[in-house]
Amino acid sequence: MSKAKAQQHPGGMIMRQKEPVNLEMPFGSLDSFITPTERFYVRSHFPQPTIRSSAWRLKVQGAVDKPLSLTLRQLRAMPARTATVSMECAGNGRVFLEPQREGAQWEAGAVGNAEWTGVPLAAVLERAGLQRSALEVILEGADQGEAPKAPSPAGKIHYARSLPLAKAVDDVILAYQMNGEDLTAAHGFPVRAVVPGWYGTAAVKWLSRLIVTSEPYHGYFQSIDYSYWQREGASPSLIPITTGRVKAQIARPESAEVVPAGRTYRVHGAAWTSDAEIAQVEVSTDAGATWHKARLLGESTRNAWRLWEYSWAVPSKPGQTTLMARATDSKNRTQPAEHDEDHGSYLIHHWLPVAVTIR
Ligand SMILES: Nc1nc2c(c(=O)[nH]1)N[C@H]1C(S)=C(S)[C@@H](COP(=O)(O)O)O[C@H]1N2
Ligand SMILES: [Mo]
């Protein structure tokens, strides 16, 4: 594992990249349903833009009757909604792939759960008046840079990502608060999108423009990057990463932890899925040979994670063993034993191993 290579950030976060700054939560430190903002992972592709709230505008353009240019004050004056929503980077867990893949070597901490407050995207679109041809809404961030992978467009591009209209008007929030405080610069000040049940890639930060299109959008961050192969019969088709996959992660014990022999150990972690409830979490303490039901904690909140625990009667005989967790949701979707190679270095939700020493 890349643990030794990774640097510790002053805030107790693991630094995956210095510029632009990319930070991972040490997942072993999970101890609350809501991830404190300073422990919420940061994933940024381009340098963080500096935005003065007085100068900021949200432009709404394209297939709308009335293009808008909203100030932050105008946006904040609209009826607000608050929702607790988990967000996972589609590359979370990449370090577990073999052979090793290009990209940030995330362990288990590119995921978090926060309370977001903002304006429903539907309300803003309604104010602009959608034209009948409207098909998708492109969310564009103020950050920009050169796209890293070929084929790439010439010059600098903004981070941008589209949503089908049905999702855009369903439950997407244009959030200006996270955990009851104004968004921090790293998490998208002054406004970001929150897209419940979808991977983080669609949750555009530093939102500056909404473009309603009548044609499908094939931007860099949903084609060259953040896409995967879906099999239609025998013919794979490249599609953008959208909805999250059911997944459980163990927070403790951590990889390489020494667990006391002959005692009870509280194995615990979190599990999440997309537009369904977590129905069950199981834990294996013998590398996937046998499974035991974990206890789900708290209440189920749609598109937020669910914490869980399992009391492990640790054998009295010293040795090595591997723990795994797997979740199943109310739509009967569960985690695969192996990573699906058609998903490349994304959508990593197979049974992740946690190797420990019993002593
Ligand atoms: N403008 C902009 N929005 C962005 C990104 C970005 O680089 N620029 N990264 C995306 C990705 S890949 C993820 S996983 C989430 C991470 O959000 P966070 O940094 O608040 O955790 O933001 C998304 N929104
Ligand atoms: Mo991401």
Side-chain angles (χ1 to χ4, degrees):
M1 289 247 256
S2 66
K3 233 176 202 163
K5 276 188 281 167
Q7 290 180 25
Q8 284 303 127
H9 190 67
M13 299 287 276
I14 303 162
M15 193 181 287
R16 290 280 166 230
Q17 197 180 319
K18 205 165 180 181
E19 183 52 46
V21 68
N22 280 274
L23 303 174
E24 173 167 357
M25 170 199 178
F27 199 68
S29 70
L30 174 77
D31 62 359
S32 56
F33 175 62
I34 296 290
T35 310
T37 302
E38 62 278 6
R39 302 193 75 75
F40 201 102
Y41 78 99
V42 174
R43 174 65 179 121
S44 299
H45 295 77
F46 300 136
Q48 187 174 295
T50 307
I51 301 176
R52 274 187 306 122
S53 48
S54 56
W56 179 85
R57 296 289 182 277
L58 179 63
K59 300 211 168 74
V60 187
Q61 306 172 343
V64 292
D65 295 332
K66 199 164 61 118
L68 303 174
S69 177
L70 297 173
T71 64
L72 188 55
R73 191 184 292 245
Q74 286 172 317
L75 189 78
R76 292 182 79 127
M78 293 176 72
R81 216 193 125 212
T82 296
T84 303
V85 172
S86 290
M87 195 159 76
E88 182 186 18
C89 181
N92 188 36
R94 186 172 289 139
V95 75
F96 292 100
L97 299 181
E98 286 169 18
Q100 202 183 352
R101 301 294 156 76
E102 262 183 54
Q105 294 301 304
W106 303 109
E107 293 177 50
V111 61
N113 183 54
E115 190 187 82
W116 309 94
T117 300
V119 176
L121 173 54
V124 171
L125 294 175
E126 195 183 2
R127 195 152 156 178
L130 288 171
Q131 292 184 351
R132 278 185 52 192
S133 65
L135 183 72
E136 295 187 3
V137 180
I138 303 171
L139 313 175
E140 189 181 79
D143 52 333
Q144 53 176 333
E146 277 173 31
K149 277 192 267 182
S152 58
K156 290 185 171 183
I157 57 169
H158 288 277
Y159 188 89
R161 159 76 212 216
S162 75
L163 301 173
L165 194 61
K167 181 64 178 174
V169 301
D170 181 15
D171 57 358
V172 176
I173 298 175
L174 305 184
Y176 46 78
Q177 285 197 331
M178 176 181 188
N179 295 335
E181 314 244 16
D182 287 355
L183 281 183
T184 61
H187 293 294
F189 178 87
V191 177
R192 75 171 309 161
V194 172
V195 185
W198 286 34
Y199 279 105
T201 177
V204 176
K205 303 192 277 190
W206 311 295
L207 205 58
S208 61
R209 199 151 67 120
L210 307 177
I211 308 155
V212 179
T213 63
S214 310
E215 301 284 336
Y217 176 67
H218 300 290
Y220 177 88
F221 291 101
Q222 61 195 72
S223 58
I224 307 305
D225 205 354
Y226 293 113
S227 61
Y228 67 102
W229 294 103
Q230 192 178 60
R231 300 255 164 194
E232 305 287 355
S235 287
S237 172
L238 191 65
I239 62 164
I241 285 171
T242 58
T243 51
R245 298 298 193 271
V246 62
K247 185 171 180 181
Q249 283 190 171
I250 297 172
R252 295 284 305 272
E254 289 185 282
S255 167
E257 188 169 321
V258 177
V259 173
R263 301 229 210 113
T264 302
Y265 187 101
R266 179 180 179 259
V267 179
H268 76 102
W272 55 94
T273 187
S274 171
D275 289 325
E277 317 291 318
I278 287 295
Q280 166 172 291
V281 172
E282 295 162 286
V283 173
S284 173
T285 56
D286 54 10
T290 60
W291 294 88
H292 314 276
K293 257 193 190 179
R295 199 158 72 87
L296 301 180
L297 304 173
E299 312 253 292
S300 173
T301 306
R302 206 168 185 78
N303 291 320
W305 68 21
R306 185 105 187 243
L307 302 183
W308 56 266
E309 65 181 14
Y310 169 69
S311 287
W312 177 28
V314 183
S316 45
K317 197 170 149 245
Q320 312 278 328
T321 195
T322 296
L323 281 75
M324 290 173 170
R326 70 176 180 202
T328 304
D329 72 14
S330 54
K331 292 182 177 166
N332 214 24
R333 297 175 294 198
T334 192
Q335 301 180 231
E338 305 281 345
H339 178 63
D340 184 338
E341 291 302 324
D342 279 338
H343 296 171
S345 64
Y346 295 118
L347 316 187
I348 302 143
H349 75 130
H350 60 288
W351 309 344
L352 301 179
V354 176
V356 300
T357 299
I358 299 167
R359 192 189 294 150

